[in-house]
């Protein structure tokens, strides 16, 4: 996996750079939304950030399962990488959301379904990282358990918060967007997904180097 | 299957016997739950009356808080003289041990909830017992959901450092759906105009949550607890 990963990162990083340099141009050219005007353009970064977070959570859940049941160290490294990446994209969503909300709703925060769910998912991911950081020896296996539970929790959070209350626009607006709004959205979307994969690759590589360093230390001490 | 239930029952009996000698968990948890309800009353009582709709939240938060306390203590006990290691080394199915610990905790929490529910109904003038069967279903399913996740987390944290603080840190975010479903379900039952269809929906959702997370816990207990 290592050599492939080494070659994968520059490609992904280059691609995401391309998307992020061109995205502003495309977003500027997109028409203004009739009621919200300029502020609606946050959408082109807000929605893809959340999608990238969900991708990372999905990777976290699958990798955790692989580590727990197959004992593959590579899966554990991927799980840490995915959790940290998910936290980063979650933060992006949580920062762009209130910026949009203050203009569109007049308040920074509402106890709406999506917002509640977002904040809880972010909490779960941070809890996962706290466990890895402060759990001490053997916490990698426990963290894998948490990773599986985090992924399994997504549908329940979705349903329970959705019934609880909703003012946030539904995600079902996305496929029905007019083409003028759709092109910049999917452009940014591709950029965020590729960036997410690039970060994952870089972070996994860091973990691999750490593991290799640990092995070398052990080898030196044995001599 | 009989063997599985026998092992689970042995674990429950062991916990009950330990508890009957000291009554430590029962007394401390019940007292803690009562203090919780009293502390909330200072936050939610205005002009001698409880803020409308606060009762459901107070009931569930008291259950969640005292549940966390009980979960932590139940496994702290297993640390003495490496009791947990002995338990895990026993020639028995690991999931059965999990089920035994879970059942013991559920018994304890049932006692706590009986007291807290009566207290909340009494102190906050909430018509909690207007639909006793539905309230029972909500509390039972909610507690199973909360405790099934909690028992697994608490068991796996036994060996880690800073477990006292990590248990609530991990448990609350993951069990928030239980809290939302439980509080909302109770709230529609005690509302001036009870919405029974909504209550049924929340009970059904809790049932699904329990089924998924109990399965996951049984499935992950073995690999998580293996050293």
């Amino acid at each position: 996996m290592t050599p492939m990963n080494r070659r994968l990162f520059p490609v992904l990083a280059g691609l995401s750079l391309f998307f992020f340099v061109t995205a502003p141009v495309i977003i500027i050219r997109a028409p203004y939304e009739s009621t919200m005007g300029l502020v609606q353009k946050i959408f082109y970064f807000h929605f893809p950030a959340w999608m990238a977070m969900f991708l990372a959570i999905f990777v976290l859940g699958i990798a955790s399962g692989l580590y727990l049941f197959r004992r593959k160290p590579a899966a554990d490294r991927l799980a840490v990488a995915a959790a940290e990446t998910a936290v980063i994209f979650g933060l992006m969503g949580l920062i762009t959301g209130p910026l949009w909300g203050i203009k569109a709703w007049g308040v920074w925060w509402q106890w709406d379904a999506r917002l509640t769910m977002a904040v809880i998912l972010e909490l779960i991911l941070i809890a996962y990282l706290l466990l890895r950081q402060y759990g001490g020896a053997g916490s990698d296996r426990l963290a894998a358990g948490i990773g599986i539970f985090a992924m399994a929790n997504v549908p329940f959070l979705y349903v329970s918060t959705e019934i609880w209350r909703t003012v946030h626009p539904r995600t079902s607006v996305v496929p029905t967007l007019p083409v003028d709004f759709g092109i910049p959205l999917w452009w940014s979307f591709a950029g965020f997904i590729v960036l997410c994969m690039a970060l994952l690759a870089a972070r996994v590589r860091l973990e691999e180097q750490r593991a290799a360093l640990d092995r070398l230390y052990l080898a030196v001490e044995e001599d | 299957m009989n063997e599985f239930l026998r092992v689970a029952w042995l674990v429950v009996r062991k916990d009950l016997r330990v508890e009957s000698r000291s009554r430590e968990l029962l007394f401390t948890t019940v007292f803690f739950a009562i203090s919780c309800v009293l502390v909330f009353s200072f936050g939610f009582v205005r002009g001698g009356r409880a803020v409308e709709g606060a009762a459901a939240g107070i009931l569930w938060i008291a259950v969640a808080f005292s549940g966390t306390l009980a979960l932590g203590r139940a496994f702290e006990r297993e640390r003495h003289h490496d009791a947990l290691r002995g338990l895990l080394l026993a020639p028995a199915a690991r999931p059965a041990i999990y089920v035994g610990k879970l059942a013991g905790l559920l018994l304890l929490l049932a006692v706590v909830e009986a007291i807290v529910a009566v207290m909340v109904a009494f102190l906050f003038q909430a018509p909690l017992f207007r639909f006793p069967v539905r309230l029972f279903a909500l509390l039972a399913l909610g507690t199973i959901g909360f405790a099934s996740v909690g028992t697994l987390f608490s068991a796996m944290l036994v060996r880690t450092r800073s477990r006292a603080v990590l248990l609530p840190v991990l448990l609350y975010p993951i069990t928030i759906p239980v809290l939302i479903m439980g509080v909302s379900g109770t709230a529609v039952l005690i509302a001036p105009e009870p919405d029974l269809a909504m209550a049924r929906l929340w009970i059904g959702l809790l049932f699904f949550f329990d089924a998924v997370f109990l399965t996951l816990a049984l499935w992950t207990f073995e690999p998580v607890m293996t050293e």
Side-chain angles (χ1 to χ4, degrees):
Chain A
M1 175 153 177
T2 312
M4 191 194 82
N5 195 357
R6 199 182 301 166
R7 260 178 280 138
L8 203 60
F9 175 69
V11 176
L12 289 170
L15 256 179
S16 63
L17 190 70
F18 164 72
F19 276 113
F20 275 93
V21 168
T22 47
V25 181
I26 297 182
I27 291 173
I28 286 173
R29 292 214 180 145
Y32 282 77
E33 204 266 336
S34 54
T35 52
M36 284 184 275
L38 181 66
V39 71
Q40 180 266 340
K41 291 188 188 288
I42 292 179
F43 176 61
Y44 300 124
F45 271 50
H46 180 71
F47 174 75
W50 285 118
M51 290 300 111
M53 184 204 196
F54 282 117
L55 173 70
I57 291 179
F58 188 68
V59 172
L60 167 66
I62 300 291
S64 298
L66 277 178
Y67 182 60
L68 203 53
F69 292 101
R70 297 274 159 79
R71 294 289 161 85
K72 290 204 168 115
D76 185 48
R77 296 197 279 266
L78 183 58
V80 196
E84 288 187 6
T85 313
V87 168
I88 296 288
F89 283 107
L91 273 180
M92 274 187 225
L94 282 179
I95 291 169
T96 50
L99 286 177
W100 191 2
I102 189 74
K103 287 290 178 188
W105 297 329
V107 286
W108 292 103
W109 185 263
Q110 292 219 16
W111 282 106
D112 152 73
R114 293 294 159 74
L115 282 71
T116 314
M117 177 175 174
V119 109
I120 297 167
L121 278 179
E122 191 73 5
L123 270 182
I124 293 177
L125 291 165
I126 293 173
Y128 173 93
L129 293 181
L130 284 176
L131 172 63
R132 292 206 78 117
Q133 189 70 32
Y134 302 113
S139 57
D140 47 345
R141 192 107 32 83
L142 313 184
I146 303 288
I148 296 176
F149 275 71
M151 189 177 73
N153 221 344
V154 172
F156 287 102
L157 272 173
Y158 183 84
V159 173
S160 59
T161 50
E162 193 75 9
I163 300 175
W164 193 41
R165 57 181 47 154
T166 294
V167 287
H168 191 282
R170 303 202 158 251
T171 355
S172 56
V173 302
V174 172
T176 60
L177 278 180
V179 180
D180 290 343
F181 295 105
I183 289 172
L185 175 66
W186 293 115
W187 195 266
S188 305
F189 181 78
F192 270 87
I193 295 297
V194 175
L195 176 67
C196 178
M197 283 157 64
L199 288 175
L200 277 178
R203 190 61 185 78
V204 168
R205 178 113 182 87
L206 175 61
E207 284 297 312
E208 278 167 359
Q209 306 283 45
R210 276 187 187 155
L213 191 61
D214 284 347
R215 274 198 303 277
L216 288 175
Y217 266 124
L218 283 178
V220 168
E221 275 169 13
E222 272 169 15
D223 284 340
Chain B
M1 194 61 208
N2 273 339
E3 183 60 21
F4 186 95
L5 289 178
R6 200 179 65 86
V7 172
W9 168 240
L10 284 174
V11 175
V12 176
R13 222 176 58 183
K14 165 194 84 76
D15 277 354
L16 286 181
R17 181 166 298 162
V18 173
E19 187 55 37
S20 71
R21 300 268 159 85
S22 69
R23 299 190 193 86
E24 178 205 358
L25 264 183
L26 181 68
F27 285 163
T28 51
T29 312
V30 166
F31 185 79
F32 180 76
I34 292 173
S35 344
C36 256
V37 174
L38 287 179
V39 169
F40 283 123
S41 67
F42 301 124
F44 294 112
V45 172
R46 298 268 179 284
R49 278 194 74 89
V51 176
E52 200 183 334
I58 292 170
L59 172 67
W60 281 90
I61 296 173
V63 168
F65 280 9
S66 45
T68 318
L69 198 74
L71 282 166
R73 279 304 297 163
F75 280 91
E76 197 62 38
R77 211 174 247 176
E78 302 286 354
R79 282 170 52 79
H80 297 308
H81 311 298
D82 253 349
L84 187 65
R85 188 185 299 255
L87 207 54
L88 292 174
L89 282 175
R94 295 261 168 91
I97 295 170
Y98 165 83
V99 170
K101 289 302 278 187
L102 173 62
L105 276 159
L106 287 176
L107 284 176
L108 173 71
L109 287 176
V111 176
V112 173
E113 281 165 18
I115 294 170
V116 171
V118 171
M119 237 183 114
V120 170
F122 181 68
L123 291 178
F124 298 94
Q125 292 98 38
L128 270 179
F129 298 102
R130 193 160 48 185
F131 302 103
V133 177
R134 289 179 180 85
L135 179 77
F136 178 79
L138 276 172
L139 277 174
L141 290 170
T143 313
I144 291 172
F146 183 78
S148 63
V149 179
T151 306
L152 176 73
F153 285 10
S154 181
M156 68 191 210
L157 285 171
V158 163
R159 283 195 298 265
T160 58
R161 290 184 290 129
S162 55
R163 57 192 161 274
V165 61
L166 279 176
L167 177 63
V169 160
L170 294 171
L171 185 55
Y172 289 142
I174 300 265
T175 52
I176 277 178
V178 172
L179 221 54
I180 295 179
M181 296 168 190
V183 171
S184 312
T186 313
V188 293
L189 281 185
I190 62 177
E193 285 155 17
D195 185 348
L196 294 184
M198 267 317 266
R200 201 176 313 126
L201 176 70
W202 289 117
I203 292 172
L205 277 175
L206 270 174
F207 182 79
F208 269 111
F209 184 94
D210 290 3
V212 169
F213 278 77
L214 203 55
T215 314
L216 270 182
L218 284 169
W219 194 41
T220 49
F221 187 74
E222 167 101 44
V224 160
M225 296 307 287
T226 311
E227 280 183 64

